[in-house]
Amino acid sequence: MWGKKAKDVTGNVWSHLKTGPSMTDTARGRLTQGAKVLKEGGFEKVFKQLFDTMPNEQLKKSYACYLSTSTGPIVGTLYISTAKFAFCSDRPLQNNPSDQQASTYYKVAIPLERVKAVMPSANKDKPAEKYIQTVSVDDQEFWFMGFVNYNKGLKNMQEAIYPPLPCA
């Protein structure tokens, strides 16, 4: 049992590092993000600095992952709160390659009441490449991938919109 878990974790970490265009940049980004979280006092404080939050909103979980975009995967952190799924890139992205000053963080926030479905998916040709498809009520699709812990990420995203029933 422990051998299978170790193999899964190793595979997930490897998948996370190789999803981006450069494993070195991805590893550096993870270290930078970790230092930022330590400096700011935890993921909850970073989340509240990055996104507008409601008074009683609390962060449930956060995951290092990628958001798939038409220009390629963007490495960042997915935050699962009591009110939304929120993603922020690890580094600012340049809006215009010729203008070094025009760069901003890539952010997406999806209120939980606007989420219609959270579904697992995998590349048929490469089953190790796993995705979490999130569909909004207006049929917008968001594809998250490269999770260090895919199964827990999927479970927590699904539980955020389909809370478990209380025991009788």
Side-chain angles (χ1 to χ4, degrees), residues 112-137:
L112 295 180
E113 71 267 5
R114 306 269 316 146
V115 177
K116 179 168 55 175
V118 172
M119 300 170 292
S121 183
N123 183 328
K124 288 180 180 24
D125 298 327
K126 299 176 186 174
E129 290 182 14
K130 298 176 184 177
Y131 308 91
I132 299 175
Q133 179 186 12
T134 302
V135 182
S136 68
V137 293

mmCIF file with all atom_site columns, all heavy atoms in Angstrom, residues 112-137:
data_model
loop_
_atom_site.group_PDB
_atom_site.id
_atom_site.type_symbol
_atom_site.label_atom_id
_atom_site.label_alt_id
_atom_site.label_comp_id
_atom_site.label_asym_id
_atom_site.label_entity_id
_atom_site.label_seq_id
_atom_site.pdbx_PDB_ins_code
_atom_site.Cartn_x
_atom_site.Cartn_y
_atom_site.Cartn_z
_atom_site.occupancy
_atom_site.B_iso_or_equiv
_atom_site.pdbx_formal_charge
_atom_site.auth_seq_id
_atom_site.auth_comp_id
_atom_site.auth_asym_id
_atom_site.auth_atom_id
_atom_site.pdbx_PDB_model_num
ATOM 1   N N   . LEU A 1 112 ? -18.769 29.487 -6.469  1.00 0.00 ? 112 LEU A N   1
ATOM 2   C CA  . LEU A 1 112 ? -19.255 28.103 -6.409  1.00 0.00 ? 112 LEU A CA  1
ATOM 3   C C   . LEU A 1 112 ? -20.685 27.970 -6.911  1.00 0.00 ? 112 LEU A C   1
ATOM 4   O O   . LEU A 1 112 ? -21.030 26.955 -7.527  1.00 0.00 ? 112 LEU A O   1
ATOM 5   C CB  . LEU A 1 112 ? -19.128 27.547 -4.993  1.00 0.00 ? 112 LEU A CB  1
ATOM 6   C CG  . LEU A 1 112 ? -17.706 27.387 -4.461  1.00 0.00 ? 112 LEU A CG  1
ATOM 7   C CD1 . LEU A 1 112 ? -17.729 26.827 -3.044  1.00 0.00 ? 112 LEU A CD1 1
ATOM 8   C CD2 . LEU A 1 112 ? -16.858 26.521 -5.373  1.00 0.00 ? 112 LEU A CD2 1
ATOM 9   N N   . GLU A 1 113 ? -21.520 28.990 -6.681  1.00 0.00 ? 113 GLU A N   1
ATOM 10  C CA  . GLU A 1 113 ? -22.906 28.885 -7.163  1.00 0.00 ? 113 GLU A CA  1
ATOM 11  C C   . GLU A 1 113 ? -22.994 28.951 -8.690  1.00 0.00 ? 113 GLU A C   1
ATOM 12  O O   . GLU A 1 113 ? -24.026 28.643 -9.262  1.00 0.00 ? 113 GLU A O   1
ATOM 13  C CB  . GLU A 1 113 ? -23.817 29.935 -6.503  1.00 0.00 ? 113 GLU A CB  1
ATOM 14  C CG  . GLU A 1 113 ? -23.583 31.351 -6.959  1.00 0.00 ? 113 GLU A CG  1
ATOM 15  C CD  . GLU A 1 113 ? -22.614 32.131 -6.085  1.00 0.00 ? 113 GLU A CD  1
ATOM 16  O OE1 . GLU A 1 113 ? -22.033 31.554 -5.152  1.00 0.00 ? 113 GLU A OE1 1
ATOM 17  O OE2 . GLU A 1 113 ? -22.435 33.335 -6.336  1.00 0.00 ? 113 GLU A OE2 1
ATOM 18  N N   . ARG A 1 114 ? -21.894 29.330 -9.344  1.00 0.00 ? 114 ARG A N   1
ATOM 19  C CA  . ARG A 1 114 ? -21.859 29.383 -10.818 1.00 0.00 ? 114 ARG A CA  1
ATOM 20  C C   . ARG A 1 114 ? -21.216 28.133 -11.426 1.00 0.00 ? 114 ARG A C   1
ATOM 21  O O   . ARG A 1 114 ? -21.092 28.032 -12.640 1.00 0.00 ? 114 ARG A O   1
ATOM 22  C CB  . ARG A 1 114 ? -21.085 30.617 -11.281 1.00 0.00 ? 114 ARG A CB  1
ATOM 23  C CG  . ARG A 1 114 ? -21.585 31.921 -10.711 1.00 0.00 ? 114 ARG A CG  1
ATOM 24  C CD  . ARG A 1 114 ? -22.619 32.660 -11.497 1.00 0.00 ? 114 ARG A CD  1
ATOM 25  N NE  . ARG A 1 114 ? -22.344 32.722 -12.900 1.00 0.00 ? 114 ARG A NE  1
ATOM 26  C CZ  . ARG A 1 114 ? -23.296 32.710 -13.832 1.00 0.00 ? 114 ARG A CZ  1
ATOM 27  N NH1 . ARG A 1 114 ? -24.552 32.630 -13.481 1.00 0.00 ? 114 ARG A NH1 1
ATOM 28  N NH2 . ARG A 1 114 ? -22.996 32.765 -15.098 1.00 0.00 ? 114 ARG A NH2 1
ATOM 29  N N   . VAL A 1 115 ? -20.802 27.182 -10.577 1.00 0.00 ? 115 VAL A N   1
ATOM 30  C CA  . VAL A 1 115 ? -20.171 25.952 -11.070 1.00 0.00 ? 115 VAL A CA  1
ATOM 31  C C   . VAL A 1 115 ? -21.240 24.890 -11.266 1.00 0.00 ? 115 VAL A C   1
ATOM 32  O O   . VAL A 1 115 ? -21.982 24.555 -10.336 1.00 0.00 ? 115 VAL A O   1
ATOM 33  C CB  . VAL A 1 115 ? -19.084 25.445 -10.096 1.00 0.00 ? 115 VAL A CB  1
ATOM 34  C CG1 . VAL A 1 115 ? -18.493 24.129 -10.578 1.00 0.00 ? 115 VAL A CG1 1
ATOM 35  C CG2 . VAL A 1 115 ? -17.985 26.491 -9.941  1.00 0.00 ? 115 VAL A CG2 1
ATOM 36  N N   . LYS A 1 116 ? -21.321 24.387 -12.486 1.00 0.00 ? 116 LYS A N   1
ATOM 37  C CA  . LYS A 1 116 ? -22.293 23.347 -12.816 1.00 0.00 ? 116 LYS A CA  1
ATOM 38  C C   . LYS A 1 116 ? -21.721 21.950 -12.591 1.00 0.00 ? 116 LYS A C   1
ATOM 39  O O   . LYS A 1 116 ? -22.426 21.050 -12.159 1.00 0.00 ? 116 LYS A O   1
ATOM 40  C CB  . LYS A 1 116 ? -22.726 23.509 -14.277 1.00 0.00 ? 116 LYS A CB  1
ATOM 41  C CG  . LYS A 1 116 ? -23.712 22.480 -14.754 1.00 0.00 ? 116 LYS A CG  1
ATOM 42  C CD  . LYS A 1 116 ? -24.364 22.803 -16.103 1.00 0.00 ? 116 LYS A CD  1
ATOM 43  C CE  . LYS A 1 116 ? -23.410 23.046 -17.222 1.00 0.00 ? 116 LYS A CE  1
ATOM 44  N NZ  . LYS A 1 116 ? -24.058 23.240 -18.529 1.00 0.00 ? 116 LYS A NZ  1
ATOM 45  N N   . ALA A 1 117 ? -20.420 21.763 -12.883 1.00 0.00 ? 117 ALA A N   1
ATOM 46  C CA  . ALA A 1 117 ? -19.833 20.429 -12.773 1.00 0.00 ? 117 ALA A CA  1
ATOM 47  C C   . ALA A 1 117 ? -18.323 20.501 -12.582 1.00 0.00 ? 117 ALA A C   1
ATOM 48  O O   . ALA A 1 117 ? -17.670 21.435 -13.042 1.00 0.00 ? 117 ALA A O   1
ATOM 49  C CB  . ALA A 1 117 ? -20.138 19.622 -14.035 1.00 0.00 ? 117 ALA A CB  1
ATOM 50  N N   . VAL A 1 118 ? -17.808 19.493 -11.887 1.00 0.00 ? 118 VAL A N   1
ATOM 51  C CA  . VAL A 1 118 ? -16.371 19.267 -11.736 1.00 0.00 ? 118 VAL A CA  1
ATOM 52  C C   . VAL A 1 118 ? -16.158 17.801 -12.089 1.00 0.00 ? 118 VAL A C   1
ATOM 53  O O   . VAL A 1 118 ? -16.706 16.918 -11.425 1.00 0.00 ? 118 VAL A O   1
ATOM 54  C CB  . VAL A 1 118 ? -15.892 19.547 -10.297 1.00 0.00 ? 118 VAL A CB  1
ATOM 55  C CG1 . VAL A 1 118 ? -14.446 19.129 -10.115 1.00 0.00 ? 118 VAL A CG1 1
ATOM 56  C CG2 . VAL A 1 118 ? -16.065 21.015 -9.955  1.00 0.00 ? 118 VAL A CG2 1
ATOM 57  N N   . MET A 1 119 ? -15.396 17.564 -13.158 1.00 0.00 ? 119 MET A N   1
ATOM 58  C CA  . MET A 1 119 ? -15.261 16.194 -13.666 1.00 0.00 ? 119 MET A CA  1
ATOM 59  C C   . MET A 1 119 ? -13.802 15.810 -13.893 1.00 0.00 ? 119 MET A C   1
ATOM 60  O O   . MET A 1 119 ? -13.018 16.624 -14.382 1.00 0.00 ? 119 MET A O   1
ATOM 61  C CB  . MET A 1 119 ? -16.018 16.063 -14.986 1.00 0.00 ? 119 MET A CB  1
ATOM 62  C CG  . MET A 1 119 ? -17.498 16.355 -14.864 1.00 0.00 ? 119 MET A CG  1
ATOM 63  S SD  . MET A 1 119 ? -18.341 16.492 -16.451 1.00 0.00 ? 119 MET A SD  1
ATOM 64  C CE  . MET A 1 119 ? -17.654 17.989 -17.116 1.00 0.00 ? 119 MET A CE  1
ATOM 65  N N   . PRO A 1 120 ? -13.462 14.557 -13.570 1.00 0.00 ? 120 PRO A N   1
ATOM 66  C CA  . PRO A 1 120 ? -12.112 14.069 -13.878 1.00 0.00 ? 120 PRO A CA  1
ATOM 67  C C   . PRO A 1 120 ? -11.990 13.789 -15.367 1.00 0.00 ? 120 PRO A C   1
ATOM 68  O O   . PRO A 1 120 ? -12.970 13.473 -16.045 1.00 0.00 ? 120 PRO A O   1
ATOM 69  C CB  . PRO A 1 120 ? -12.015 12.783 -13.065 1.00 0.00 ? 120 PRO A CB  1
ATOM 70  C CG  . PRO A 1 120 ? -13.424 12.305 -12.954 1.00 0.00 ? 120 PRO A CG  1
ATOM 71  C CD  . PRO A 1 120 ? -14.278 13.550 -12.908 1.00 0.00 ? 120 PRO A CD  1
ATOM 72  N N   . SER A 1 121 ? -10.781 13.904 -15.866 1.00 0.00 ? 121 SER A N   1
ATOM 73  C CA  . SER A 1 121 ? -10.514 13.605 -17.268 1.00 0.00 ? 121 SER A CA  1
ATOM 74  C C   . SER A 1 121 ? -9.051  13.212 -17.394 1.00 0.00 ? 121 SER A C   1
ATOM 75  O O   . SER A 1 121 ? -8.228  13.570 -16.556 1.00 0.00 ? 121 SER A O   1
ATOM 76  C CB  . SER A 1 121 ? -10.798 14.847 -18.130 1.00 0.00 ? 121 SER A CB  1
ATOM 77  O OG  . SER A 1 121 ? -10.611 14.562 -19.492 1.00 0.00 ? 121 SER A OG  1
ATOM 78  N N   . ALA A 1 122 ? -8.739  12.458 -18.439 1.00 0.00 ? 122 ALA A N   1
ATOM 79  C CA  . ALA A 1 122 ? -7.352  12.059 -18.687 1.00 0.00 ? 122 ALA A CA  1
ATOM 80  C C   . ALA A 1 122 ? -7.120  11.998 -20.186 1.00 0.00 ? 122 ALA A C   1
ATOM 81  O O   . ALA A 1 122 ? -8.039  11.769 -20.969 1.00 0.00 ? 122 ALA A O   1
ATOM 82  C CB  . ALA A 1 122 ? -7.056  10.709 -18.047 1.00 0.00 ? 122 ALA A CB  1
ATOM 83  N N   . ASN A 1 123 ? -5.873  12.190 -20.572 1.00 0.00 ? 123 ASN A N   1
ATOM 84  C CA  . ASN A 1 123 ? -5.465  12.076 -21.958 1.00 0.00 ? 123 ASN A CA  1
ATOM 85  C C   . ASN A 1 123 ? -5.528  10.600 -22.342 1.00 0.00 ? 123 ASN A C   1
ATOM 86  O O   . ASN A 1 123 ? -4.891  9.757  -21.707 1.00 0.00 ? 123 ASN A O   1
ATOM 87  C CB  . ASN A 1 123 ? -4.041  12.628 -22.102 1.00 0.00 ? 123 ASN A CB  1
ATOM 88  C CG  . ASN A 1 123 ? -3.546  12.628 -23.516 1.00 0.00 ? 123 ASN A CG  1
ATOM 89  O OD1 . ASN A 1 123 ? -3.897  11.782 -24.328 1.00 0.00 ? 123 ASN A OD1 1
ATOM 90  N ND2 . ASN A 1 123 ? -2.681  13.586 -23.813 1.00 0.00 ? 123 ASN A ND2 1
ATOM 91  N N   . LYS A 1 124 ? -6.303  10.264 -23.364 1.00 0.00 ? 124 LYS A N   1
ATOM 92  C CA  . LYS A 1 124 ? -6.456  8.859  -23.771 1.00 0.00 ? 124 LYS A CA  1
ATOM 93  C C   . LYS A 1 124 ? -5.130  8.229  -24.198 1.00 0.00 ? 124 LYS A C   1
ATOM 94  O O   . LYS A 1 124 ? -4.895  7.053  -23.958 1.00 0.00 ? 124 LYS A O   1
ATOM 95  C CB  . LYS A 1 124 ? -7.476  8.744  -24.892 1.00 0.00 ? 124 LYS A CB  1
ATOM 96  C CG  . LYS A 1 124 ? -8.907  8.976  -24.435 1.00 0.00 ? 124 LYS A CG  1
ATOM 97  C CD  . LYS A 1 124 ? -9.864  8.846  -25.603 1.00 0.00 ? 124 LYS A CD  1
ATOM 98  C CE  . LYS A 1 124 ? -11.307 9.039  -25.323 1.00 0.00 ? 124 LYS A CE  1
ATOM 99  N NZ  . LYS A 1 124 ? -11.807 9.753  -24.261 1.00 0.00 ? 124 LYS A NZ  1
ATOM 100 N N   . ASP A 1 125 ? -4.264  9.030  -24.824 1.00 0.00 ? 125 ASP A N   1
ATOM 101 C CA  . ASP A 1 125 ? -2.970  8.510  -25.281 1.00 0.00 ? 125 ASP A CA  1
ATOM 102 C C   . ASP A 1 125 ? -1.930  8.461  -24.166 1.00 0.00 ? 125 ASP A C   1
ATOM 103 O O   . ASP A 1 125 ? -0.994  7.681  -24.226 1.00 0.00 ? 125 ASP A O   1
ATOM 104 C CB  . ASP A 1 125 ? -2.438  9.363  -26.441 1.00 0.00 ? 125 ASP A CB  1
ATOM 105 C CG  . ASP A 1 125 ? -3.353  9.318  -27.652 1.00 0.00 ? 125 ASP A CG  1
ATOM 106 O OD1 . ASP A 1 125 ? -3.989  8.258  -27.877 1.00 0.00 ? 125 ASP A OD1 1
ATOM 107 O OD2 . ASP A 1 125 ? -3.452  10.336 -28.353 1.00 0.00 ? 125 ASP A OD2 1
ATOM 108 N N   . LYS A 1 126 ? -2.083  9.331  -23.177 1.00 0.00 ? 126 LYS A N   1
ATOM 109 C CA  . LYS A 1 126 ? -1.151  9.391  -22.043 1.00 0.00 ? 126 LYS A CA  1
ATOM 110 C C   . LYS A 1 126 ? -1.964  9.450  -20.751 1.00 0.00 ? 126 LYS A C   1
ATOM 111 O O   . LYS A 1 126 ? -2.192  10.527 -20.202 1.00 0.00 ? 126 LYS A O   1
ATOM 112 C CB  . LYS A 1 126 ? -0.261  10.630 -22.151 1.00 0.00 ? 126 LYS A CB  1
ATOM 113 C CG  . LYS A 1 126 ? 0.605   10.668 -23.393 1.00 0.00 ? 126 LYS A CG  1
ATOM 114 C CD  . LYS A 1 126 ? 1.376   11.969 -23.451 1.00 0.00 ? 126 LYS A CD  1
ATOM 115 C CE  . LYS A 1 126 ? 2.139   12.084 -24.752 1.00 0.00 ? 126 LYS A CE  1
ATOM 116 N NZ  . LYS A 1 126 ? 2.775   13.392 -24.884 1.00 0.00 ? 126 LYS A NZ  1
ATOM 117 N N   . PRO A 1 127 ? -2.410  8.294  -20.240 1.00 0.00 ? 127 PRO A N   1
ATOM 118 C CA  . PRO A 1 127 ? -3.297  8.277  -19.068 1.00 0.00 ? 127 PRO A CA  1
ATOM 119 C C   . PRO A 1 127 ? -2.718  8.967  -17.831 1.00 0.00 ? 127 PRO A C   1
ATOM 120 O O   . PRO A 1 127 ? -3.470  9.365  -16.949 1.00 0.00 ? 127 PRO A O   1
ATOM 121 C CB  . PRO A 1 127 ? -3.519  6.797  -18.802 1.00 0.00 ? 127 PRO A CB  1
ATOM 122 C CG  . PRO A 1 127 ? -3.102  6.089  -20.041 1.00 0.00 ? 127 PRO A CG  1
ATOM 123 C CD  . PRO A 1 127 ? -2.149  6.978  -20.763 1.00 0.00 ? 127 PRO A CD  1
ATOM 124 N N   . ALA A 1 128 ? -1.413  9.124  -17.751 1.00 0.00 ? 128 ALA A N   1
ATOM 125 C CA  . ALA A 1 128 ? -0.814  9.813  -16.598 1.00 0.00 ? 128 ALA A CA  1
ATOM 126 C C   . ALA A 1 128 ? -1.133  11.308 -16.618 1.00 0.00 ? 128 ALA A C   1
ATOM 127 O O   . ALA A 1 128 ? -1.045  11.974 -15.594 1.00 0.00 ? 128 ALA A O   1
ATOM 128 C CB  . ALA A 1 128 ? 0.693   9.593  -16.579 1.00 0.00 ? 128 ALA A CB  1
ATOM 129 N N   . GLU A 1 129 ? -1.503  11.847 -17.774 1.00 0.00 ? 129 GLU A N   1
ATOM 130 C CA  . GLU A 1 129 ? -1.877  13.256 -17.879 1.00 0.00 ? 129 GLU A CA  1
ATOM 131 C C   . GLU A 1 129 ? -3.338  13.388 -17.491 1.00 0.00 ? 129 GLU A C   1
ATOM 132 O O   . GLU A 1 129 ? -4.237  13.083 -18.263 1.00 0.00 ? 129 GLU A O   1
ATOM 133 C CB  . GLU A 1 129 ? -1.650  13.782 -19.302 1.00 0.00 ? 129 GLU A CB  1
ATOM 134 C CG  . GLU A 1 129 ? -0.206  13.900 -19.670 1.00 0.00 ? 129 GLU A CG  1
ATOM 135 C CD  . GLU A 1 129 ? -0.003  14.474 -21.069 1.00 0.00 ? 129 GLU A CD  1
ATOM 136 O OE1 . GLU A 1 129 ? -0.965  15.019 -21.664 1.00 0.00 ? 129 GLU A OE1 1
ATOM 137 O OE2 . GLU A 1 129 ? 1.121   14.368 -21.563 1.00 0.00 ? 129 GLU A OE2 1
ATOM 138 N N   . LYS A 1 130 ? -3.566  13.843 -16.259 1.00 0.00 ? 130 LYS A N   1
ATOM 139 C CA  . LYS A 1 130 ? -4.917  13.942 -15.716 1.00 0.00 ? 130 LYS A CA  1
ATOM 140 C C   . LYS A 1 130 ? -5.334  15.401 -15.611 1.00 0.00 ? 130 LYS A C   1
ATOM 141 O O   . LYS A 1 130 ? -4.525  16.265 -15.310 1.00 0.00 ? 130 LYS A O   1
ATOM 142 C CB  . LYS A 1 130 ? -4.973  13.287 -14.341 1.00 0.00 ? 130 LYS A CB  1
ATOM 143 C CG  . LYS A 1 130 ? -4.643  11.812 -14.364 1.00 0.00 ? 130 LYS A CG  1
ATOM 144 C CD  . LYS A 1 130 ? -4.613  11.265 -12.958 1.00 0.00 ? 130 LYS A CD  1
ATOM 145 C CE  . LYS A 1 130 ? -4.198  9.818  -12.949 1.00 0.00 ? 130 LYS A CE  1
ATOM 146 N NZ  . LYS A 1 130 ? -4.090  9.308  -11.575 1.00 0.00 ? 130 LYS A NZ  1
ATOM 147 N N   . TYR A 1 131 ? -6.608  15.638 -15.839 1.00 0.00 ? 131 TYR A N   1
ATOM 148 C CA  . TYR A 1 131 ? -7.176  16.978 -15.814 1.00 0.00 ? 131 TYR A CA  1
ATOM 149 C C   . TYR A 1 131 ? -8.401  17.000 -14.915 1.00 0.00 ? 131 TYR A C   1
ATOM 150 O O   . TYR A 1 131 ? -9.043  15.972 -14.701 1.00 0.00 ? 131 TYR A O   1
ATOM 151 C CB  . TYR A 1 131 ? -7.621  17.409 -17.218 1.00 0.00 ? 131 TYR A CB  1
ATOM 152 C CG  . TYR A 1 131 ? -6.554  17.263 -18.263 1.00 0.00 ? 131 TYR A CG  1
ATOM 153 C CD1 . TYR A 1 131 ? -6.433  16.091 -19.005 1.00 0.00 ? 131 TYR A CD1 1
ATOM 154 C CD2 . TYR A 1 131 ? -5.652  18.284 -18.499 1.00 0.00 ? 131 TYR A CD2 1
ATOM 155 C CE1 . TYR A 1 131 ? -5.441  15.947 -19.967 1.00 0.00 ? 131 TYR A CE1 1
ATOM 156 C CE2 . TYR A 1 131 ? -4.657  18.153 -19.460 1.00 0.00 ? 131 TYR A CE2 1
ATOM 157 C CZ  . TYR A 1 131 ? -4.559  16.978 -20.191 1.00 0.00 ? 131 TYR A CZ  1
ATOM 158 O OH  . TYR A 1 131 ? -3.573  16.842 -21.127 1.00 0.00 ? 131 TYR A OH  1
ATOM 159 N N   . ILE A 1 132 ? -8.736  18.190 -14.437 1.00 0.00 ? 132 ILE A N   1
ATOM 160 C CA  . ILE A 1 132 ? -10.002 18.401 -13.754 1.00 0.00 ? 132 ILE A CA  1
ATOM 161 C C   . ILE A 1 132 ? -10.726 19.473 -14.547 1.00 0.00 ? 132 ILE A C   1
ATOM 162 O O   . ILE A 1 132 ? -10.268 20.611 -14.644 1.00 0.00 ? 132 ILE A O   1
ATOM 163 C CB  . ILE A 1 132 ? -9.817  18.838 -12.287 1.00 0.00 ? 132 ILE A CB  1
ATOM 164 C CG1 . ILE A 1 132 ? -9.078  17.748 -11.507 1.00 0.00 ? 132 ILE A CG1 1
ATOM 165 C CG2 . ILE A 1 132 ? -11.179 19.136 -11.661 1.00 0.00 ? 132 ILE A CG2 1
ATOM 166 C CD1 . ILE A 1 132 ? -8.738  18.134 -10.079 1.00 0.00 ? 132 ILE A CD1 1
ATOM 167 N N   . GLN A 1 133 ? -11.841 19.075 -15.152 1.00 0.00 ? 133 GLN A N   1
ATOM 168 C CA  . GLN A 1 133 ? -12.644 19.989 -15.952 1.00 0.00 ? 133 GLN A CA  1
ATOM 169 C C   . GLN A 1 133 ? -13.706 20.608 -15.064 1.00 0.00 ? 133 GLN A C   1
ATOM 170 O O   . GLN A 1 133 ? -14.459 19.900 -14.392 1.00 0.00 ? 133 GLN A O   1
ATOM 171 C CB  . GLN A 1 133 ? -13.308 19.240 -17.113 1.00 0.00 ? 133 GLN A CB  1
ATOM 172 C CG  . GLN A 1 133 ? -14.182 20.118 -17.964 1.00 0.00 ? 133 GLN A CG  1
ATOM 173 C CD  . GLN A 1 133 ? -14.951 19.332 -19.015 1.00 0.00 ? 133 GLN A CD  1
ATOM 174 O OE1 . GLN A 1 133 ? -15.000 18.111 -18.986 1.00 0.00 ? 133 GLN A OE1 1
ATOM 175 N NE2 . GLN A 1 133 ? -15.563 20.046 -19.939 1.00 0.00 ? 133 GLN A NE2 1
ATOM 176 N N   . THR A 1 134 ? -13.760 21.926 -15.065 1.00 0.00 ? 134 THR A N   1
ATOM 177 C CA  . THR A 1 134 ? -14.768 22.663 -14.312 1.00 0.00 ? 134 THR A CA  1
ATOM 178 C C   . THR A 1 134 ? -15.628 23.410 -15.321 1.00 0.00 ? 134 THR A C   1
ATOM 179 O O   . THR A 1 134 ? -15.105 24.126 -16.173 1.00 0.00 ? 134 THR A O   1
ATOM 180 C CB  . THR A 1 134 ? -14.095 23.660 -13.343 1.00 0.00 ? 134 THR A CB  1
ATOM 181 O OG1 . THR A 1 134 ? -13.227 22.922 -12.475 1.00 0.00 ? 134 THR A OG1 1
ATOM 182 C CG2 . THR A 1 134 ? -15.107 24.400 -12.515 1.00 0.00 ? 134 THR A CG2 1
ATOM 183 N N   . VAL A 1 135 ? -16.935 23.200 -15.228 1.00 0.00 ? 135 VAL A N   1
ATOM 184 C CA  . VAL A 1 135 ? -17.864 23.824 -16.168 1.00 0.00 ? 135 VAL A CA  1
ATOM 185 C C   . VAL A 1 135 ? -18.789 24.749 -15.387 1.00 0.00 ? 135 VAL A C   1
ATOM 186 O O   . VAL A 1 135 ? -19.362 24.354 -14.371 1.00 0.00 ? 135 VAL A O   1
ATOM 187 C CB  . VAL A 1 135 ? -18.700 22.760 -16.922 1.00 0.00 ? 135 VAL A CB  1
ATOM 188 C CG1 . VAL A 1 135 ? -19.634 23.418 -17.932 1.00 0.00 ? 135 VAL A CG1 1
ATOM 189 C CG2 . VAL A 1 135 ? -17.797 21.743 -17.611 1.00 0.00 ? 135 VAL A CG2 1
ATOM 190 N N   . SER A 1 136 ? -18.917 25.978 -15.877 1.00 0.00 ? 136 SER A N   1
ATOM 191 C CA  . SER A 1 136 ? -19.793 26.956 -15.212 1.00 0.00 ? 136 SER A CA  1
ATOM 192 C C   . SER A 1 136 ? -21.213 26.824 -15.765 1.00 0.00 ? 136 SER A C   1
ATOM 193 O O   . SER A 1 136 ? -21.446 26.175 -16.785 1.00 0.00 ? 136 SER A O   1
ATOM 194 C CB  . SER A 1 136 ? -19.266 28.371 -15.428 1.00 0.00 ? 136 SER A CB  1
ATOM 195 O OG  . SER A 1 136 ? -19.400 28.735 -16.785 1.00 0.00 ? 136 SER A OG  1
ATOM 196 N N   . VAL A 1 137 ? -22.161 27.483 -15.099 1.00 0.00 ? 137 VAL A N   1
ATOM 197 C CA  . VAL A 1 137 ? -23.549 27.415 -15.543 1.00 0.00 ? 137 VAL A CA  1
ATOM 198 C C   . VAL A 1 137 ? -23.754 28.046 -16.913 1.00 0.00 ? 137 VAL A C   1
ATOM 199 O O   . VAL A 1 137 ? -24.716 27.730 -17.604 1.00 0.00 ? 137 VAL A O   1
ATOM 200 C CB  . VAL A 1 137 ? -24.510 28.045 -14.503 1.00 0.00 ? 137 VAL A CB  1
ATOM 201 C CG1 . VAL A 1 137 ? -24.538 27.231 -13.228 1.00 0.00 ? 137 VAL A CG1 1
ATOM 202 C CG2 . VAL A 1 137 ? -24.162 29.490 -14.236 1.00 0.00 ? 137 VAL A CG2 1
#
